[in-house]
Amino acid sequence: MTEQRPEGIEKYDHPAGGWDALKAVAKTLAHQQIVAQGTMTLLKANQPEGFDCPGCAWPDPKHTSSFEFCENGAKAITWESTAKRSGPEFFAQHTVSELWQWTDHKLEDAGRLTLPLHYKAESDRYEPIAWDDAFRLIAQELNKLGDPDMAEFYTSGRASNEAAFLYQLFVRAFGTNNFPDCSNMCHEATSVGLPKSIGVGKGTVTLEDFDHADAIFSFGHNPGTNHPRMMTTLHNAAKRGVPIVVFNPLKERALERFAAPQDPIEMATLSSTPIASAYYQLRTGGDLAALKGIMKAVFQMDAESLDAGGAGALDRAFIEQHTSGLDVLRSDIDATSWDTICSVSGLTREALESAARVYVNASNVIICYGMGITQHAKGTSNVQQIANLLLLRGNMGRQGAGIAPIRGHSNVQGDRTVGITEIPNKALLDGMERAFGFRPSAEKGHNAIEAVEAIIAGKSRALICLGGNLAVAMSDTAATFEGMRKLDLAVHIATKLNRSHLLTARTSLILPCFGRTDLDTQASGPQAVTVEDSMSMVHASRGFLKPPGELVRSEPAIIAGIAKATIGNRHGIDWDWLIADYDRIRDKIEEVFPDFRDFNSRVRVKGGFRLDVAASFRRWNTESGKANFLVATGIEEDPLISNPDALVLTTIRSHDQYNTTIYGMDDRYRGVFGRRDVIFMNRQDLAERGLKDGDRIDIHGIAKDSEGRHLVQGFTAVEYDIPKGSAAGYYPEMNAVVALDRYDRLSGTPSYKGVPITVSAAAV
């Protein structure tokens, strides 16, 4: 690389974790003005009698340590429990037009919301409103709609099981299944793809399985930033000598080497542990081809073993007893040439055969994956091919083996389990009828893409958001923002201000809610809520801090208030009775979903309990009654990507970020400090376009229509170790170049990780 780097771009050689992580935690505590209180708060994170960290969905170990949090978890906790406040004085001082000019970081850094707010167009300000008046206004607007399907009800994965269950109860009683939620934008490909493959849309492994794995494969995720507590598990596996094979376009520092802050020797000696035993930098979007290449090599190794009189490389007993469709899969793999596999994946045949040897030589294999697999136009197929690879050798439903989709939001999986879905199945409808005496509509509702399309088209007129930052998280920023401003009603239940709140509708309200760290007291006393982690463990979460204001309410209480005002006691639902004691909500969850049997008893056991995951025990809840090998026909590139001038952009998170929440402007592990307006590119790609490291460029999204609309201007090109033809830029800034119609047609997941773009020297 060139010696003179762009401003704010430096070489960072330290391992992930270590002293730099502890320094970052200390800096965050000081910035949020809660050093003493913050330290006490962190020590209660992810503890049996404490609260669940909102930072990620990685499970807690059975024997929790003295501190069970990571750097980014600490940022999430301190960001929520901050001493800063966005009270009435703040909104009196700042118009919405002024706030719109603030950065996303500055908006949320203003502090916790303290009272309900109503936007007044004449003053261009949010002004205080009484809770009852807010509820009446919401009810008035919802009941004016000609059809309940003209309203959209978004859910963030940070909502508790209790809040999510009440929310879906209210919305279904209101009369719609329009449930766009954050699952639609991250792991919907998992929720759609795995049930057809193994009968359940969740991972099959437990945390303890990692102690018994002989090899771990990692596809398309960056645990050091997005779920850092996973690094303890990978660190322990690496020290045991377990091969960890990584497929990712960028080399992420935490997957290269990691210094565990809880390891006194590494901290004292400034040493670290290598994590990846092999790191394959495939082309962005090359995962499907790579997976087919590994399977092709496994089939070839199987044939060679049989020809030599061996037992073969496949688990034939497992395949015969538990699976269906192998012959069709084999035919598809045989028909896929090595030339095509290597061209599309960007990897050599030798590299893929080497990975296959590691896979075949290991008795028990776990495959982990993140949104680098799901957020593609073929995200569902990607997920199913991972399942295929595991099934070939029986790596499903036994100790130390299985599939592990790694979720981000701390309860995104739980929200789906307790009913947040736009496609209600018979079991859900039967359960609702059993528990509440009415049968909701079975009609499919809107997912996130469909909801935004309906808002843009003027077909949906109201939006209620249970947390989140939907407009900023969604693709096609220009169209999404324009649509949101045309709404009749926009309601945001939130802890802090964000940009979506500034896209004001004819009637806009912000309703302040408790965070995970806040003490939730209802009529029967202090309450606990529950969450489900990535491995189907359900456990309690108890906040203990004094809420940021006397007028702040819990999410269940706010939902109940809206429901009571809008539909009253329709179907005999007593909203006040339900929120007086959250045990009553859990009793109803159990009545609707029998998997939650003895919910209140089991969740009071330290560590909680695991929901039944049938595939973990080789029970296949599929139509065939078996695990199915499923074919993804063709791996040829999208015609838009095949454009000779095109690059394939993947959106990424910085290390100072959690989803759309920006904690700071640094991305330490990638050597970026004080800025986010960069795009990472291969040296040869820069040269071929007459560009160099540090040049200001414009980024054009290639779309089937609206050519030229998807544009980000004036970003800085940064020369980076990334495969030729690939590029990377920060989410959500790069959402502007993602066309709304670029998504996986099977699951509706936006293709944030496979965006066709062109770049040119900045016009201005």
Side-chain angles (χ1 to χ4, degrees):
M1 291 188 180
T2 56
E3 292 183 6
Q4 184 65 40
R5 302 308 310 281
E7 182 179 355
I9 307 300
E10 303 174 12
K11 189 174 183 180
Y12 184 83
D13 283 331
H14 299 188
W19 288 107
D20 283 355
L22 294 183
K23 290 175 186 175
V25 171
K27 180 180 177 182
T28 302
L29 288 169
H31 179 73
Q32 296 302 331
Q33 305 170 10
I34 52 169
V35 175
Q37 172 189 291
T39 302
M40 179 180 67
T41 303
L42 291 176
L43 292 176
K44 286 183 175 287
N46 302 312
Q47 300 296 325
E49 297 302 321
F51 63 91
D52 190 73
C53 174
C56 76
W58 189 251
D60 304 329
K62 287 184 177 178
H63 303 289
T64 50
S65 64
S66 57
F67 63 96
E68 186 56 46
F69 60 86
C70 61
E71 176 188 341
N72 275 25
K75 290 174 183 175
I77 293 165
T78 54
W79 203 248
E80 178 179 283
S81 57
T82 178
K84 298 179 181 181
R85 299 288 182 262
S86 297
E89 300 84 4
F90 174 87
F91 288 98
Q93 292 170 4
H94 303 293
T95 65
V96 166
S97 297
E98 177 192 348
L99 292 171
W100 184 259
Q101 302 304 316
W102 288 21
T103 65
D104 293 319
H105 166 69
K106 187 176 180 181
L107 287 172
E108 293 207 32
D109 194 37
R112 289 288 299 274
L113 297 162
T114 64
L115 76 171
L117 298 161
H118 177 210
Y119 177 69
K120 296 295 183 68
E122 56 271 24
S123 65
D124 191 30
R125 285 177 170 84
Y126 274 104
E127 300 180 5
I129 184 174
W131 276 108
D132 286 345
D133 291 339
F135 292 149
R136 277 195 295 270
L137 192 54
I138 295 167
Q140 174 184 312
E141 293 296 327
L142 288 177
N143 288 323
K144 281 198 317 189
L145 298 172
D147 183 340
D149 287 334
M150 295 175 69
E152 307 289 347
F153 297 87
Y154 177 76
T155 317
S156 161
R158 287 181 59 169
S160 66
N161 288 327
E162 291 73 18
F165 180 78
L166 283 190
Y167 197 50
Q168 67 87 34
L169 171 62
F170 158 54
V171 173
R172 291 198 160 94
F174 178 65
T176 185
N177 287 317
N178 285 349
F179 283 110
D181 79 308
C182 61
S183 286
N184 298 147
M185 292 181 280
C186 59
H187 267 281
E188 194 65 30
T190 295
S191 300
V192 171
L194 285 187
K196 295 181 182 300
S197 178
I198 61 173
V200 62
K202 303 179 180 184
T204 64
V205 301
T206 65
L207 188 58
E208 291 72 28
D209 279 320
F210 283 85
D211 295 333
H212 302 279
D214 300 307
I216 298 169
F217 279 60
S218 167
F219 280 86
H221 70 130
N222 177 15
T225 290
N226 297 324
H227 20 264
R229 286 196 301 133
M230 183 184 184
M231 290 310 305
T232 299
T233 301
L234 295 179
H235 177 266
N236 293 341
K239 289 181 81 71
R240 292 198 330 266
V242 174
I244 298 175
V245 181
V246 178
F247 288 82
N248 206 52
L250 285 76
K251 280 195 173 181
E252 303 293 8
R253 180 58 49 84
L255 288 170
E256 293 181 288
R257 60 188 194 276
F258 178 71
Q262 292 181 326
D263 187 321
I265 295 177
E266 288 187 348
M267 295 298 283
T269 62
L270 303 181
S271 60
S272 61
T273 297
I275 301 298
S277 55
Y279 208 121
Y280 299 108
Q281 288 183 264
L282 76 176
R283 289 180 60 195
T284 300
D287 307 272
L288 186 60
L291 286 161
K292 285 196 173 187
I294 296 171
M295 285 189 283
K296 192 175 185 72
V298 170
F299 281 128
Q300 290 175 350
M301 293 170 67
D302 179 65
E304 291 167 2
S305 174
L306 293 175
D307 289 344
L314 306 185
D315 187 338
R316 285 178 164 74
F318 171 84
I319 289 170
E320 182 176 352
Q321 181 180 353
H322 291 284
T323 72
S324 174
L326 177 64
D327 290 342
V328 179
L329 174 67
R330 191 196 300 267
S331 295
D332 175 71
I333 299 297
D334 287 346
T336 307
S337 72
W338 275 114
D339 285 347
T340 302
I341 288 170
C342 295
S343 173
V344 177
S345 71
L347 299 173
T348 65
R349 176 174 176 174
E350 291 73 23
L352 294 168
E353 289 176 335
S354 177
R357 280 193 294 273
V358 175
Y359 176 70
V360 168
N361 289 334
S363 297
N364 300 308
V365 177
I366 293 173
I367 300 184
C368 311
Y369 66 90
M371 292 183 292
I373 284 290
T374 60
Q375 290 181 331
H376 284 283
K378 293 187 177 180
T380 300
S381 294
N382 286 341
V383 169
Q384 291 172 340
Q385 299 316 297
I386 289 175
N388 285 346
L389 178 57
L390 287 165
L391 292 172
L392 287 177
R393 287 183 48 78
N395 280 306
M396 195 80 74
R398 69 166 183 243
Q399 189 179 58
I403 193 164
I406 309 301
R407 315 257 180 175
H409 263 125
S410 62
N411 198 43
V412 63
Q413 187 162 300
D415 289 354
R416 180 58 55 86
T417 302
V418 299
I420 298 295
T421 174
E422 73 277 10
I423 312 174
N425 59 24
K426 183 177 182 298
L428 170 59
L429 299 176
D430 288 347
M432 293 290 287
E433 188 170 20
R434 183 169 57 245
F436 297 102
F438 77 99
R439 192 171 187 83
S441 167
E443 293 295 316
K444 179 189 176 302
H446 292 158
N447 62 24
I449 289 283
E450 292 163 341
V452 171
E453 288 177 336
I455 289 170
I456 292 170
K459 296 178 181 178
S460 288
R461 305 300 307 165
L463 171 67
I464 298 182
C465 292
L466 180 58
N469 191 1
L470 174 60
V472 172
M474 183 52 64
S475 47
D476 206 337
T477 305
T480 298
F481 283 10
E482 182 183 357
M484 294 289 181
R485 288 190 170 106
K486 295 178 181 177
L487 285 165
D488 293 331
L489 174 69
V491 180
H492 298 277
I493 302 170
T495 58
K496 300 178 106 180
L497 187 66
N498 66 47
R499 191 164 302 280
S500 289
H501 306 163
L502 307 179
L503 294 163
T504 53
R506 182 171 54 80
T507 299
S508 289
L509 297 120
I510 303 174
L511 307 180
C513 67
F514 294 161
R516 291 277 175 80
T517 57
D518 297 326
L519 176 64
D520 183 350
T521 303
Q522 301 298 332
S524 64
Q527 305 294 314
V529 295
T530 61
V531 297
E532 178 186 348
D533 63 34
S534 277
M535 296 176 189
S536 303
M537 290 294 299
V538 178
H539 55 276
S541 176
R542 299 172 181 85
F544 71 101
L545 296 177
K546 182 181 179 180
E550 293 182 359
L551 293 177
V552 182
R553 296 190 179 183
S554 74
E555 288 177 319
I558 295 170
I559 294 162
I562 295 172
K564 186 178 176 182
T566 305
I567 62 173
N569 287 351
R570 187 183 300 175
H571 306 304
I573 302 168
D574 188 334
W575 300 99
D576 293 333
W577 180 83
L578 283 169
I579 64 164
D581 187 338
Y582 293 175
D583 278 1
R584 296 167 181 171
I585 304 174
R586 288 186 281 273
D587 285 339
K588 286 297 184 181
I589 292 174
E590 177 182 341
E591 196 171 348
V592 175
F593 304 102
D595 279 355
F596 284 90
R597 66 188 181 282
D598 301 324
F599 194 175
N600 279 307
S601 297
R602 290 198 289 165
V603 83
R604 283 174 165 80
V605 176
K606 285 188 177 182
F609 63 94
R610 189 174 190 236
L611 292 168
D612 182 52
V613 180
S616 296
F617 306 97
R618 295 188 171 179
R619 304 194 316 268
W620 316 106
N621 293 330
T622 62
E623 289 186 9
S624 68
K626 293 188 174 185
N628 297 309
F629 289 103
L630 300 173
V631 171
T633 56
I635 56 174
E636 291 74 21
E637 294 175 329
D638 185 306
L640 296 179
I641 293 174
S642 298
N643 178 328
D645 296 325
L647 300 171
V648 184
L649 172 77
T650 181
T651 62
I652 56 177
R653 275 72 166 167
S654 79
H655 196 63
D656 250 358
Q657 171 179 5
Y658 182 71
N659 289 342
T660 60
T661 300
I662 312 299
Y663 302 128
M665 305 302 286
D666 295 346
D667 191 7
R668 178 169 87 243
Y669 296 150
R670 297 189 183 105
V672 180
F673 297 91
R675 60 187 308 182
R676 293 175 57 85
D677 58 340
V678 299
I679 178 169
F680 302 100
M681 292 179 60
N682 175 278
R683 170 185 279 185
Q684 190 174 342
D685 285 329
L686 285 169
E688 289 177 355
R689 290 158 178 78
L691 301 169
K692 63 182 185 302
D693 187 40
D695 281 355
R696 292 180 68 251
I697 63 172
D698 294 340
I699 304 146
H700 307 258
I702 304 175
K704 293 178 181 177
D705 56 5
S706 304
E707 190 67 33
R709 187 183 74 195
H710 306 96
L711 174 66
V712 172
Q713 293 180 289
F715 271 50
T716 296
V718 172
E719 184 183 313
Y720 204 76
D721 181 10
I722 188 170
K724 189 177 185 307
S726 300
Y730 293 123
Y731 165 99
E733 289 88 343
M734 287 294 163
N735 287 3
V737 303
V738 186
L740 197 63
D741 68 354
R742 187 159 186 83
Y743 61 89
D744 176 14
R745 290 316 192 255
L746 296 177
S747 69
T749 310
S751 182
Y752 297 118
K753 300 292 193 255
V755 187
I757 62 167
T758 59
V759 300
S760 59
V764 292

